Structure formats: structure tokens, C-alpha cells
Amino acid sequence: MPIRQRHGCLTSLFGLLLLGVGVVYALAVLTSPWAFHIGGRSTPLLYWSGSGQLVTKSGTYPLYVSFFPASHFSRLQLDGLRPTGGLQGSGSVCTAPGVMQPLKLSGTIYGGWRTTEGSLMAFRLLERKLFDAGQRQGYFDLYGRWQGQQLVMNDRGRYAGPFRSGLRIERASVTLDWGGYSEFKTACAAAALPTHP
């Protein structure tokens, strides 16, 4: 009898899991249909990740980002386009060979509803902190559009807050290509990076 009860419990848990997945997909279909096809590729897990070389005033740094739909986003128009959805996720910038600065990503997609094609993406990449003790957080913003499967972005000359390490991302541009964190780690380990104060 206990074996049957355990089997029934596992079946119920599996059913609840399937229901939860179904609810997530239904919400994505209704609020963020672009998330199923990001950057010219099928994204059934509703996220996109990629990396590239972040070219800045002070040098070039490997950069990684990963994002998925979010309910929070800017309500303001940008470049005459209305916001159509939010983004959240994470990122990393390589600050020294093998040293990766974790980042929190938030943002907005403009002009894209069913697809990211022709849409404008805006990211804020914010320095993470282990605990909130009122310390400053470095950040920088990136804006760009998809060109085929590449996301081509720059900071539009906007102010960027300095990181606690002294790094400041200014006059930044990057072309992001689909890829995983492992490719970024390999690029960071082999990077010849500038020194910063």
C-alpha cells in the first residue's frame, strides 16, 4: 500500500509540474510571443544567451549576456517605438584573464511583438552586490538591434557608473553572437585585457 501511495504522489507532482510549465508557456504566448524566436533562431526555452567583445574607451573586454521575458519594463517610448515587453537576466564582463564580474541584466524590447526582428533592445547591466550596505553599483547601458542572428549594440554615449573595482565602461559597443557561458569563460581566460585604476 505505501508503494502505491508514493507512486500516486509522484504522478500528482508530475501533473503539477506539467501544469506549471503549461501556465508559463500560455503566459509567454499572451504577453511575450517574441520569446519563442529570438535573434533569428528558435528559442523554445524562452531565453537567449550570447557573447562578444565589448569595445570601450579604455579597452576591449569579453562580455556575456543571457535574458528572458520579464513583466517589468520602461513605459516610455524610445526612438519613436513603444515598449512591448520587459527583459531580465544576467551577464558577466571579463575584467582580467579568468576574472569575471557578474552583472544583473534588466531591459525593454521596443517595437517587437511576435518577433525580435526589427525591434530595438535596451539593456542595463548592473554590478551585483552580495548584500545591500548602501554601496554604489557600477552599471552601463546598451541599445541595439538585431542584424540577422547578431545583436549589435552601443551605449549611445550615455553616462555609465563606475564599478567598485574602478572599471568604467564608456563609449561602449558590442556585437553579440549566440553562445553559452563556456565560450565566454574560454575567451576570458585567454583575454589580453587593459589595466584600470
Side-chain angles (χ1 to χ4, degrees):
M1 194 98 80
I3 292 174
R4 284 184 185 169
Q5 287 176 344
R6 259 188 275 155
H7 180 63
C9 185
L10 286 175
T11 303
S12 295
L13 286 174
F14 184 68
L16 284 174
L17 178 63
L18 284 178
L19 178 64
V21 169
V23 168
V24 167
Y25 273 85
L27 283 172
V29 166
L30 294 173
T31 62
S32 308
W34 56 266
F36 291 94
H37 199 262
I38 303 172
R41 62 186 301 125
S42 177
T43 49
L45 297 179
L46 309 179
Y47 86 97
W48 188 90
S49 66
S51 59
Q53 296 294 316
L54 184 69
V55 179
T56 73
K57 175 182 173 181
S58 59
T60 301
Y61 305 87
L63 175 71
Y64 169 82
V65 299
S66 175
F67 62 85
F68 52 91
S71 57
H72 300 289
F73 55 93
S74 171
R75 303 293 179 191
L76 303 174
Q77 289 193 4
L78 184 62
D79 294 352
L81 299 171
R82 68 179 188 84
T84 53
L87 308 167
Q88 66 181 348
S90 60
S92 286
V93 63
C94 181
T95 57
V99 178
M100 292 152 284
Q101 170 68 58
L103 303 168
K104 178 181 176 182
L105 183 150
S106 61
T108 303
I109 180 172
Y110 297 86
W113 180 247
R114 293 199 174 279
T115 178
T116 57
E117 190 64 37
S119 64
L120 174 65
M121 310 290 273
F123 296 161
R124 169 152 290 182
L125 292 153
L126 182 67
E127 181 178 23
R128 288 191 178 272
K129 50 187 175 181
L130 297 175
F131 57 92
D132 192 353
Q135 70 270 41
R136 74 172 188 223
Q137 289 176 273
Y139 70 90
F140 60 99
D141 298 325
L142 292 171
Y143 306 84
R145 293 182 183 271
W146 295 93
Q147 294 182 9
Q149 293 191 354
Q150 295 181 318
L151 181 55
V152 181
M153 308 187 87
N154 65 64
D155 68 3
R156 296 187 170 187
R158 301 274 172 98
Y159 175 82
F163 286 71
R164 290 186 294 274
S165 66
L167 174 64
R168 188 159 179 179
I169 305 295
E170 297 177 283
R171 295 200 302 245
S173 64
V174 65
T175 297
L176 296 165
D177 289 295
W178 170 263
Y181 191 72
S182 59
E183 290 97 339
F184 164 72
K185 278 179 67 174
T186 300
C188 183
L193 293 160
T195 57
H196 49 82

